[in-house]
Amino acid sequence: MKIGLIGLGKMGGNMRERIRRAGHEVVGFDFNPDVTDVPTLEALVESLEAPRLVWVMVPHGAPTSSTVAKLGDLLSPGDLVIDGGNSRFTEDFVNDELLAGKGIGYLDCGVSGGIWGLENGYGLMVGGRDEHVELAMPIFDALRPEGPRDEGFVHAGDIGAGHYTKMVHNGIEYGLMAAYAEGYELLEAKDIVKNVPGAFKAWSRGTVVRSWLLDLMVKALEENPTLEGVSDYTADSGEGRWTVEEAIANSVPMPVISASLFARFASRQQASPTMQAVAALRGQFGGHQVMT
Amino acid sequence: MKIGLIGLGKMGGNMRERIRRAGHEVVGFDFNPDVTDVPTLEALVESLEAPRLVWVMVPHGAPTSSTVAKLGDLLSPGDLVIDGGNSRFTEDFVNDELLAGKGIGYLDCGVSGGIWGLENGYGLMVGGRDEHVELAMPIFDALRPEGPRDEGFVHAGDIGAGHYTKMVHNGIEYGLMAAYAEGYELLEAKDIVKNVPGAFKAWSRGTVVRSWLLDLMVKALEENPTLEGVSDYTADSGEGRWTVEEAIANSVPMPVISASLFARFASRQQASPTMQAVAALRGQFGGHQVMT
Amino acid sequence: MKIGLIGLGKMGGNMRERIRRAGHEVVGFDFNPDVTDVPTLEALVESLEAPRLVWVMVPHGAPTSSTVAKLGDLLSPGDLVIDGGNSRFTEDFVNDELLAGKGIGYLDCGVSGGIWGLENGYGLMVGGRDEHVELAMPIFDALRPEGPRDEGFVHAGDIGAGHYTKMVHNGIEYGLMAAYAEGYELLEAKDIVKNVPGAFKAWSRGTVVRSWLLDLMVKALEENPTLEGVSDYTADSGEGRWTVEEAIANSVPMPVISASLFARFASRQQASPTMQAVAALRGQFGGHQVMT
Amino acid sequence: MKIGLIGLGKMGGNMRERIRRAGHEVVGFDFNPDVTDVPTLEALVESLEAPRLVWVMVPHGAPTSSTVAKLGDLLSPGDLVIDGGNSRFTEDFVNDELLAGKGIGYLDCGVSGGIWGLENGYGLMVGGRDEHVELAMPIFDALRPEGPRDEGFVHAGDIGAGHYTKMVHNGIEYGLMAAYAEGYELLEAKDIVKNVPGAFKAWSRGTVVRSWLLDLMVKALEENPTLEGVSDYTADSGEGRWTVEEAIANSVPMPVISASLFARFASRQQASPTMQAVAALRGQFGGHQVMT
């Protein structure tokens, strides 16, 4: 099979490699001349044969929507576009409507795996119509981990369901990481506990909390047993926010995942205006000194 | 009426004054010779007539329990001890048992009001037996705010119920302060909002959120409209912790008040070990740089 | 002064009355023929003299935006529209742009006070331009509580800032109510506490937690001391959600107010799917029975 | 090696079997005559040779402390007691002091693994002195999972550190389960998502959230795709509470794990008194009907 792949960054570059290793032909395009296979998007489209399959792997938001718009102009009815980026699921409705008006198919695909994906394969969550999923299945099979298809791939539902599922996946990830991290802090805080890295490592087998994230935590603590010098400044990349926004939109109580999101926000503040206000309030009681 | 008052610090000193203004006689004892009325606890006890009423107003924990123990030795059956300090309600069970064995009565009394209490009166929450409450009522009436008794005083229940009620009062206070403070931060964060102090002040009348704490917030913002230079370091004084511990002991979900407690803990950390761990975990993904 | 007032429901009807009591003339319009002063919106507009001032007090969303659109057609340059409803602040940007294109002024005004407003006055939070605020000031003065203007009124900032401030006000309200309510539950759960309504009442004077909401809580408990038969089903009206959405949009940690919002969501669930999943997971451990 | 094992319930029985499979001799005692190897505790002690090693595997609290006390009477200096039950770490201090006074060694050991432990091995977390750990190592090696010792066993620190580490392990477990469960609810709530069980299964390989708990979730959803009929009533077994109590005692912010604990409390309430109070408060506003 032959596909076009737009966006050859950290993720896209590795995905091109993994698809090729599976025996498919990939024509990659990127604005970076060092990595691109063709000089222009037009050239990419021309290099493919109908029905063309083009995988978009660029930053979400404007880069993705403008790429999809351009593809809408360049592709023909019966072709298929897959957005594999970190788009919000609501953008899929827009993309699909635009392309459907021109007879071009659309799938949204949430992709998990990071830099480990090249070797381990990528977890794939797809939204869209059955016939489009079928068309792209050889590529999904190339990208996903070895083993039974349904352990690394799902056709989760209608347009948007792929990115939605990936969004929830990341929301869960926020909560999982925070749970391990709170446990880490509590162990660190206790004087009778002398071997915190060893405690995490001992959970690797036979316990309820064993997981890939635990394995990463073990590695992190082997490299730096007290996380000395590690900044607590923690970014967030969109999916966590969207998850909580969707919880609100759907009246779903989400105390755990929202708490893990807010902790990230707090980690980036030099001082907490909320706690400045609490301190100022206490100062007004008269008995509590306000520090400055 | 004539009572003994042990502990003449910020709270006890003002309370002595307020009781005296109500026409009662107060013999105060404090280790600080500048403020004490009598040189020793023995002298205080001797200066009173049976049935003696002694109000203890010293720091909770060891100072209170040792004072109660000494009073157990000095007082006689039929006398009455009131612990008005910030004791945990569980200490009341111990105090009461010790004194009851000697025929001495005991009441626990949570006192709210801070430095404003001298003029405004103190909110009083009492636990213990009816006959003891009756005996001490003239003093309670002297201390509580003007107006109907039940708007500033309650006999909340059995031994411990006074401190328990005060503990819950303070737990609520934590939640209230955090709610105002989070609102403050959100207003501050928004560019279209130009007058945050004015917004708080405009809530002073006619709105659902008007309160004494709001008035304090207005004052704080009048003195320092952006809380510039105010440290976000915020202490906590025991009652907040006990409240959440009691929530756990009684299987009561307490997401709001516990969140306000945890925010205080976080305000005192230079760096959050939890978020260091989250950052380190993300670093292990490979795609996220860990800052140091 | 003479103004038009659209929407004469529970809020609008009382506001008409309060403005009239202040000596102004109000022409009210409502689809309900029993309460309307004029048969049509056109008649309302015709009854006013330039520069016309029209206050919109209809449900937010489509009713408000269609009313503003119609006013855009009927009014003339120099006239002024005030949206006093519970609109999301983002709608103000749309309304203002539409009207500004026709030379018509726009203010957004958050109104607090509920059914108590007629007698006590309404807390007012306004966004928009100085000249428009000045024009409408006699009406604001009529509506707000007696006393200094800045204790019941604020020109909070640019277009949208009025509704934004009201939104934050309501978010704070969610947190305050939850704090009192968690305290209530903890008191109720404790056997040594015998007089929960009395405890709340005793906080009415002289304590840190005294507030209008506390007074309402006292009333509620006087009517129904154990809240027997009161359903825990609790609606939410938009502002709480918007507050947390804005916290997310502005990277503001908001653990307390979000917890109070999620508790409302949970109160409306027959069963919690989250806890069904936790129970099912525990069932898989093998040692815990899953109840059905 | 030959050891005594007290308590042959679900856990203890399987552990006896696993130790035996490793080639050691186990003398088990239980009040249940169907499973016990010896009729009395005395007989168990007599059947062992000095230095005797006795593993206690009975319910925490009174059963464990009375067993340890009896062993204190029966054993001799140089013998070693291991508490492998779910004791609070604070009980270890008491047990150790009692036995140390008689020259008997003590270790506390947190054991994870549930009914899967017999085949997979048990994760072991141990607190106490080096020489005692060394003495018991053959038994630890028999119980822990195959593979490197440090992936299933840790000598975490001083007396109490084993149970402390196990407590934190369980606290983390609460958070992890809640994170998956909240994600489940959000997926279920969304109309475009048609295959929730498939989404979880697709995370099994190649994603960040893969774990043993995820595998259990997949199984649960394979058996019951919408968790139909599963009660949301969820018990908690002590360690979650202790974890949050320790967070409070050590001033560690713990928003995520505490939220997961409170959600369990809430799952067991027919109605939430907190939300009854919120509803009653809203009823006092005048505009909101209180449902009964």
Side-chain angles (χ1 to χ4, degrees), chain B residues 71-279:
Chain B
L71 288 172
D73 292 338
L74 296 170
L75 293 175
S76 310
D79 291 348
L80 176 63
V81 173
I82 302 175
D83 176 17
N86 285 321
S87 301
R88 203 179 194 283
F89 74 98
T90 45
E91 299 179 38
D92 295 318
F93 306 147
V94 180
N95 292 340
D96 179 52
E97 200 180 346
L98 183 147
L99 295 176
K102 308 182 179 215
I104 302 167
Y106 181 77
L107 292 175
D108 59 284
C109 180
V111 179
S112 177
I115 57 158
W116 307 81
L118 174 55
E119 300 306 329
N120 296 354
Y122 300 90
L124 303 178
M125 296 141 259
V126 176
R129 277 169 281 278
D130 286 341
E131 62 268 29
H132 298 141
V133 173
E134 221 166 295
L135 187 65
M137 192 59 86
I139 304 305
F140 293 142
D141 279 338
L143 286 169
R144 70 171 175 80
E146 318 275 301
R149 182 185 286 161
D150 63 355
E151 296 184 4
F153 167 89
V154 68
H155 179 192
D158 301 335
I159 290 288
H163 280 131
Y164 196 92
T165 302
K166 175 58 163 50
M167 174 196 83
V168 173
H169 165 279
N170 282 39
I172 291 173
E173 178 190 320
Y174 276 51
L176 300 181
M177 290 169 76
Y180 286 116
E182 287 184 3
Y184 166 77
E185 180 168 346
L186 190 57
L187 285 175
E188 266 299 330
K190 194 71 181 181
D191 55 353
I192 57 172
V193 178
K194 307 296 188 192
N195 189 358
V196 175
F200 274 85
K201 189 160 195 184
W203 295 339
S204 303
R205 297 171 183 253
T207 74
V208 172
V209 304
R210 64 188 189 267
S211 71
W212 189 64
L213 279 168
L214 177 72
D215 295 343
L216 294 187
M217 189 74 191
V218 169
K219 273 191 211 164
L221 292 173
E222 275 173 352
E223 294 169 10
N224 188 346
T226 59
L227 303 181
E228 174 135 24
V230 173
S231 166
D232 64 348
Y233 184 104
T234 310
D236 73 284
S237 57
E239 285 96 345
R241 298 176 183 230
W242 301 336
T243 301
V244 181
E245 286 171 358
E246 273 301 297
I248 294 171
N250 292 281
S251 303
V252 167
M254 194 165 270
V256 164
I257 292 176
S258 66
S260 67
L261 177 67
F262 291 141
R264 292 204 181 184
F265 292 172
S267 79
R268 305 199 294 260
Q269 297 184 317
Q270 288 288 347
S272 158
T274 292
M275 297 315 294
Q276 286 182 296
V278 170

Side-chain angles (χ1 to χ4, degrees), chain D:
Chain D
M1 196 167 180
K2 188 175 182 182
I3 71 156
L5 175 56
I6 303 169
L8 300 168
K10 209 158 39 180
M11 282 292 283
N14 280 343
M15 289 167 72
R16 174 174 61 177
E17 175 63 17
R18 187 168 171 96
I19 300 171
R20 283 177 177 166
R21 287 188 192 171
H24 301 291
E25 211 172 325
V26 183
V27 182
F29 171 71
D30 197 283
F31 289 120
N32 177 355
D34 296 343
V35 297
T36 195
D37 297 324
V38 287
T40 62
L41 205 54
E42 288 75 7
L44 179 137
V45 170
E46 277 163 31
S47 74
L48 303 174
E49 283 150 44
R52 299 177 191 83
L53 199 167
V54 183
W55 187 294
V56 181
M57 206 67 203
V58 302
H60 72 85
T64 292
S65 57
S66 73
T67 301
V68 168
K70 278 180 218 153
L71 288 173
D73 292 338
L74 296 170
L75 294 175
S76 309
D79 291 348
L80 175 63
V81 172
I82 302 175
D83 177 17
N86 285 320
S87 301
R88 204 178 194 282
F89 73 98
T90 45
E91 299 180 38
D92 295 318
F93 306 146
V94 180
N95 291 340
D96 178 51
E97 200 180 347
L98 184 149
L99 294 177
K102 307 182 180 217
I104 303 167
Y106 181 77
L107 292 175
D108 58 284
C109 180
V111 179
S112 178
I115 56 160
W116 307 82
L118 173 57
E119 300 306 329
N120 296 354
Y122 300 90
L124 303 178
M125 298 140 257
V126 176
R129 278 169 281 278
D130 285 342
E131 61 268 29
H132 298 142
V133 174
E134 219 166 298
L135 188 65
M137 193 59 87
I139 304 304
F140 294 142
D141 278 339
L143 285 169
R144 69 171 176 81
E146 319 274 301
R149 180 185 287 161
D150 63 355
E151 295 184 5
F153 168 89
V154 67
H155 179 192
D158 301 334
I159 290 288
H163 280 132
Y164 196 93
T165 302
K166 175 58 163 48
M167 174 196 81
V168 173
H169 165 280
N170 282 39
I172 291 173
E173 178 190 321
Y174 276 51
L176 301 181
M177 289 169 77
Y180 286 116
E182 288 185 2
Y184 166 76
E185 180 168 347
L186 191 56
L187 285 175
E188 266 299 329
K190 195 69 182 182
D191 55 352
I192 57 172
V193 178
K194 307 296 188 191
N195 188 356
V196 176
F200 274 85
K201 188 159 195 183
W203 295 339
S204 303
R205 296 171 184 253
T207 75
V208 172
V209 304
R210 64 188 188 265
S211 71
W212 189 65
L213 279 169
L214 178 71
D215 295 344
L216 294 188
M217 189 74 191
V218 169
K219 272 191 210 164
L221 292 173
E222 276 173 351
E223 295 169 10
N224 187 346
T226 59
L227 303 181
E228 176 136 23
V230 173
S231 166
D232 65 348
Y233 184 104
T234 310
D236 74 282
S237 58
E239 286 95 345
R241 297 175 184 231
W242 301 336
T243 300
V244 181
E245 286 171 358
E246 273 302 297
I248 294 171
N250 291 281
S251 302
V252 168
M254 193 165 270
V256 164
I257 292 175
S258 65
S260 67
L261 177 67
F262 290 141
R264 293 204 180 185
F265 291 171
S267 79
R268 306 200 294 261
Q269 298 185 317
Q270 288 288 348
S272 158
T274 291
M275 297 316 293
Q276 286 181 295
V278 170
L281 261 178
R282 296 180 85 232
Q284 293 291 328
F285 291 173
H288 307 284
Q289 209 193 335
V290 178
M291 301 171 69
T292 51

Side-chain angles (χ1 to χ4, degrees), chain C residues 116-133:
Chain C
W116 307 81
L118 173 56
E119 300 307 329
N120 297 355
Y122 300 90
L124 303 179
M125 297 140 257
V126 177
R129 277 169 283 277
D130 285 341
E131 63 268 28
H132 297 141
V133 173

Side-chain angles (χ1 to χ4, degrees), chain A residues 184 188 194-202 218 221-222 224-226, chain D residues 154:
Chain A
Y184 166 77
E188 266 299 330
K194 307 295 190 192
N195 188 357
V196 176
F200 274 84
K201 189 159 195 183
V218 170
L221 291 173
E222 276 174 350
N224 188 347
T226 59
Chain D
V154 67

Side-chain angles (χ1 to χ4, degrees), chain C residues 82-156:
Chain C
I82 302 175
D83 176 18
N86 284 321
S87 301
R88 203 179 195 281
F89 74 98
T90 44
E91 299 179 39
D92 295 318
F93 305 146
V94 179
N95 291 340
D96 178 52
E97 200 181 346
L98 183 148
L99 294 176
K102 307 183 180 215
I104 302 167
Y106 181 79
L107 292 175
D108 59 283
C109 180
V111 178
S112 178
I115 57 160
W116 307 81
L118 173 56
E119 300 307 329
N120 297 355
Y122 300 90
L124 303 179
M125 297 140 257
V126 177
R129 277 169 283 277
D130 285 341
E131 63 268 28
H132 297 141
V133 173
E134 219 166 296
L135 187 64
M137 192 58 87
I139 303 306
F140 294 141
D141 279 339
L143 285 169
R144 69 171 176 80
E146 318 276 300
R149 181 185 285 162
D150 63 355
E151 296 184 4
F153 168 89
V154 67
H155 179 193

Side-chain angles (χ1 to χ4, degrees), chain C residues 1-144:
Chain C
M1 197 168 179
K2 189 176 181 183
I3 71 154
L5 175 57
I6 302 170
L8 301 168
K10 209 158 38 183
M11 283 292 281
N14 279 343
M15 290 166 71
R16 175 173 62 176
E17 176 62 16
R18 187 168 171 94
I19 300 172
R20 282 179 177 164
R21 287 186 192 170
H24 301 290
E25 212 174 323
V26 184
V27 182
F29 171 71
D30 197 284
F31 288 120
N32 176 354
D34 296 343
V35 298
T36 196
D37 298 323
V38 287
T40 63
L41 206 55
E42 287 76 6
L44 178 138
V45 170
E46 276 164 32
S47 74
L48 303 174
E49 282 150 46
R52 297 176 193 85
L53 200 166
V54 183
W55 188 295
V56 180
M57 207 66 204
V58 301
H60 72 84
T64 293
S65 57
S66 74
T67 302
V68 169
K70 276 180 217 154
L71 288 173
D73 293 338
L74 296 171
L75 294 175
S76 309
D79 291 348
L80 176 63
V81 173
I82 302 175
D83 176 18
N86 284 321
S87 301
R88 203 179 195 281
F89 74 98
T90 44
E91 299 179 39
D92 295 318
F93 305 146
V94 179
N95 291 340
D96 178 52
E97 200 181 346
L98 183 148
L99 294 176
K102 307 183 180 215
I104 302 167
Y106 181 79
L107 292 175
D108 59 283
C109 180
V111 178
S112 178
I115 57 160
W116 307 81
L118 173 56
E119 300 307 329
N120 297 355
Y122 300 90
L124 303 179
M125 297 140 257
V126 177
R129 277 169 283 277
D130 285 341
E131 63 268 28
H132 297 141
V133 173
E134 219 166 296
L135 187 64
M137 192 58 87
I139 303 306
F140 294 141
D141 279 339
L143 285 169
R144 69 171 176 80

